[in-house]
Amino acid sequence: MKKYFYVVTVQFLGYRFHGWQKQPYLKTVHLMIDKTLKFILEGKSFKTLGSGRTDAMVSAQEAAFELFLEHPIEDLDSFLALFNHNLPQDIRALTINEVNAEFNIIQHSKIKEYLYVFAHGGKNHPFCAPLMTTILEPLDIEIMKAGAKCFEGTHYFKSYCYKATDEGIYTRTIEACEIVENTMFTANFFPEKSYVFKVKGKGFMRNQIRLMMGTLIKLGRGDITLEYIKDSLKPESKEVMDYIAPASGLILNKINFI
């Protein structure tokens, strides 16, 4: 029997979800997507495979999954409209494109860009909570910008992997890494000034970006130095980072398949 393969991009607000991956008795993004597909496909056989996992409360401007069918979709635009009509309001499908059997959404080479939105120095409006982490203490943003640049390039990131083992591949390349003033996300209840930690690379380990962000917060508070961060990225480093920044500020911004 001939198979048909499609890549669907979606965006979602992760605040009420326990991450992407299906888990018993928990509401996840993948679960809601499969429930919706089961309804609109009216019992026809299908399978879905995500391009990667996101943690609980992490959002996405653009995530992707592969849809496997035993029958073709005759009208992609109509299918996308029907899918969106039945998805919950905090998930939206963006695009659907047919791919060939050789495409594998997990193994296919891709560049991911993550954003971490944060503010500092005071308590913010509660409506900020789904998209922004607030650090109550004042932070030295300029030294944090310098710290972010330390992560760029090829380094040994074992210190930035949650529960790292001796078998992992920890030499990784960060294509770009910076802290900039937030102009991407705005709302009348946002603080006057907020920031975005932007990270781009081929692959990230468990909690890597949140551990990197946690380290930058410690740097901004004056708990550690730039030299400490540089030393933590060397193969001989034995440091284990102990501050995982909250999940709700993290957003998967874009996936580019290359």
Side-chain angles (χ1 to χ4, degrees):
M1 181 180 293
K2 186 176 179 181
K3 301 279 187 179
Y4 299 88
F5 311 87
Y6 301 88
V7 169
V8 183
T9 61
V10 295
Q11 56 188 190
F12 55 84
L13 179 65
Y15 201 62
R16 74 183 183 106
F17 294 111
H18 290 266
W20 169 269
Q21 187 178 12
K22 290 180 184 176
Q23 301 175 62
Y25 313 113
L26 293 175
K27 184 173 289 185
T28 69
V29 179
H30 196 184
L31 173 68
M32 298 308 296
I33 283 173
D34 273 10
K35 277 189 171 183
T36 304
L37 287 169
K38 184 177 181 180
F39 176 75
I40 68 172
L41 290 171
E42 300 178 330
K44 294 176 182 175
S45 177
F46 74 93
K47 178 183 175 183
T48 54
L49 183 63
S51 63
R53 302 174 183 178
T54 52
D55 292 339
M57 301 178 72
V58 173
S59 298
Q61 279 269 76
E62 183 182 303
F65 68 90
E66 192 167 1
L67 173 62
F68 305 84
L69 295 172
E70 295 177 356
H71 58 281
I73 298 174
E74 301 296 342
D75 186 332
L76 294 179
D77 290 339
S78 296
F79 179 87
L80 195 68
L82 181 64
F83 190 29
N84 271 320
H85 184 77
N86 289 279
L87 280 168
Q89 64 179 355
D90 42 10
I91 305 176
R92 180 171 71 157
L94 300 173
T95 63
I96 180 169
N97 291 288
E98 188 169 5
V99 293
N100 58 38
E102 285 68 45
F103 182 86
N104 183 301
I105 199 161
I106 293 178
Q107 297 177 358
H108 198 95
S109 184
K110 49 189 170 288
I111 296 287
K112 292 184 178 181
E113 182 180 65
Y114 281 91
L115 310 175
Y116 194 98
V117 186
F118 69 100
H120 70 103
K123 190 79 170 182
N124 289 323
H125 196 294
F127 289 1
C128 297
L131 288 174
M132 179 185 298
T133 288
T134 303
I135 308 302
L136 296 179
E137 308 98 316
L139 299 174
D140 183 339
I141 298 297
E142 292 307 311
I143 197 169
M144 291 175 68
K145 289 180 178 180
K149 286 297 178 183
C150 292
F151 293 123
E152 276 190 351
T154 301
H155 302 288
Y156 190 71
F157 282 96
K158 186 176 183 179
S159 296
Y160 298 88
C161 178
Y162 180 66
K163 293 186 176 179
T165 67
D166 291 335
E167 287 74 45
I169 299 173
Y170 300 112
T171 300
R172 304 285 181 116
T173 300
I174 300 292
E175 306 287 341
C177 190
E178 62 178 346
I179 290 177
V180 297
E181 193 166 328
N182 173 33
T183 57
M184 298 181 65
F185 306 101
T186 59
N188 61 6
F189 51 80
F190 272 19
E192 183 177 339
K193 188 171 286 189
S194 58
Y195 300 89
V196 178
F197 175 45
K198 301 172 68 174
V199 187
K200 186 185 294 187
K202 277 194 173 182
F204 298 97
M205 300 171 293
R206 188 179 180 189
N207 290 150
Q208 180 179 343
I209 295 172
R210 289 170 61 194
L211 283 164
M212 290 164 63
M213 183 65 209
T215 301
L216 292 177
I217 292 170
K218 292 175 73 173
L219 177 67
R221 290 193 308 216
D223 299 339
I224 59 173
T225 65
L226 284 172
E227 288 304 314
Y228 175 87
I229 294 179
K230 293 174 183 177
D231 289 343
S232 73
L233 295 167
K234 295 176 180 178
E236 62 269 22
S237 173
K238 302 298 182 184
E239 292 296 324
V240 178
M241 298 306 169
D242 59 356
Y243 183 8
I244 302 176
S248 57
L250 185 59
I251 299 169
L252 173 58
N253 189 48
K254 188 176 292 188
I255 298 178
N256 291 326
F257 294 101
I258 55 177

